Amino acid sequence: MRTKTSIFFILLFSASLAGLTACNNEPQQKEPDRQVSDRNGLDFVESSAGLPNSGKWRHGICFYDMNRDGNLDILAPPPRLGPESDRKPFVWLGNGKGEWSSLALDVPGNIPYDYGDIAAADFNGDGIPDMALAIHTVGLRGLRGAGKGKFSDFSIGLPSDFSSRALVAADFNNDGIVDIAAVSEGNFGKMKPAPRKGITVCLGSSTGWKCRPVGEKIEMMNTLYADRIITGDVNGDGNADLGIASLQHMADYIVWLGDGKGDFAPFNHGLPTELHYPSVAFGDFDGDGRDDLIASMTGFGKDGIEALKVFLSREDSFKEMSKGLPEHGVFKAVSAGDLNGDSVPEIVGGTSQGRVKVFSLKDGVWKEITTSGLPDIPLDRIYNTYCVDVNHDGVKDIIFNYASRNGAGGIRVFLTVPR
């Protein structure tokens, strides 16, 4: 724990970096001043040059070093309702300075690409980056990388009766090859027969995918659907676990512990039940090596809950630690990452009004902190926020994708400059 004196000198040193901060020159509407201290504020400088600034970019994007130059790149599925020329995955190469350039892709033309989610990793163990997509009303598809932007169909073994627009990549069976997990989307009536609901894990291999449902014998799993799935280590055992932003209040199985062999068991003691979870994220807020849960939650009726909450992971259950977080309002997207270098993650939330808010933990109490450089004009619908270190400075930056009803939208990057 730092003393007040050490904090003062650290912040004084950080202030000397303020001259590096640039501003967005577009006219902006000022947001009302927030009643919080400036001492722990954060400055951001936008670094989105080369990324799309129009179109409906939903639901998920991902980050991976596709050209193996040591810098993270950004991948996205096609924008919703985009032109025919945009019906394909997208990759923007990063140079480690927050600058982006489009990579031309050669992908199979027989896959019905549409918006949804995307993941990248070496899914077949050949050392070359591959891609996996969760395509709205279509299902899961894989693309095997051959290098230099060329890909071939790698969907052997992926389920044909499972529709998803949210997936995540991790090594779930600890064999050294990255796998994927996906959660079903709502039934939009376009797949006949109706697709299977729940969670599916697909293990990667050199010959194709080996898929299995998660918790298929658990009551109500056949009704579960969501638009967000995450991975972390909730119990600190070194195995990848799952978090689900369930939109079915009767199937509120939010956290699943992995056994390191590709199987999962629910772990939800201490979490509120019979609620919708629009978004979830993991972060270790007490430094015990176990990921804790950040959850946006909503209920029913005029007195129903709308809140942002944090639950600390304990051996047998979760313990709430939400003092200071908003008790009213819906957060459509949440993420967590250390934005100021103090080793404690901040929470980044996208509100239902399209605002980006940042919350920091001080002495067990959450406070919304002042920021500069983030958008002042509401962005309508932020689908996901991400905390990623784009420029290798040791602190996380903020990235989000959004889509407005009028067709505006984009993918935007904001580099963090601690005060």
Side-chain angles (χ1 to χ4, degrees), residues 158-310:
L158 294 177
S160 59
D161 62 342
F162 186 80
S163 179
S164 171
R165 53 185 181 184
L167 82 170
V168 68
D171 184 1
F172 294 118
N173 61 347
N174 294 322
D175 67 349
I177 297 179
V178 180
D179 315 304
I180 60 173
V183 60
S184 59
E185 63 179 340
N187 184 8
F188 294 89
K190 295 184 178 181
M191 293 183 69
K192 302 295 182 182
R196 176 172 51 84
K197 291 288 187 292
I199 306 167
T200 290
V201 170
C202 294
L203 304 178
S205 73
S206 60
T207 57
W209 304 89
K210 298 178 181 179
C211 301
R212 65 182 74 168
V214 171
E216 59 180 332
K217 297 181 180 179
I218 296 177
E219 185 180 3
M220 301 302 296
M221 280 299 290
N222 64 341
T223 67
L224 185 148
Y225 66 96
D227 285 334
R228 177 75 163 155
I229 180 171
I230 60 173
T231 187
D233 187 0
V234 173
N235 57 356
D237 66 353
N239 297 322
D241 306 318
L242 295 174
I244 308 295
S246 175
L247 299 175
Q248 165 56 278
H249 69 282
M250 297 303 292
D252 43 14
Y253 299 104
I254 308 304
V255 176
W256 296 78
L257 300 183
D259 65 357
K261 301 176 182 179
D263 291 321
F264 296 82
F267 178 70
N268 293 275
H269 306 297
L271 299 182
T273 59
E274 298 189 11
L275 295 173
H276 292 157
Y277 284 69
S279 186
V280 295
F282 285 139
D284 183 4
F285 298 109
D286 54 3
D288 65 353
R290 303 161 66 103
D291 276 331
D292 309 307
L293 178 71
I294 310 104
S296 170
M297 299 184 297
T298 63
F300 301 92
K302 64 179 181 179
D303 298 323
I305 185 175
E306 291 182 352
L308 182 63
K309 293 186 178 294
V310 166

Side-chain angles (χ1 to χ4, degrees), residues 50-58 75-92 102-105 107-109 111-116 118 133 135 143 407 409-411:
L51 297 175
N53 56 14
S54 64
K56 297 184 176 184
W57 295 91
R58 48 178 286 195
L75 295 85
R80 183 174 186 266
L81 301 177
E84 188 65 29
S85 59
D86 285 350
R87 296 295 181 93
K88 60 183 180 180
F90 284 80
V91 174
W92 296 274
S102 179
L103 173 65
L105 298 182
V107 297
I111 294 177
Y113 304 106
D114 203 347
Y115 82 95
I118 192 168
L133 297 109
I135 303 173
L143 297 176
I411 299 172

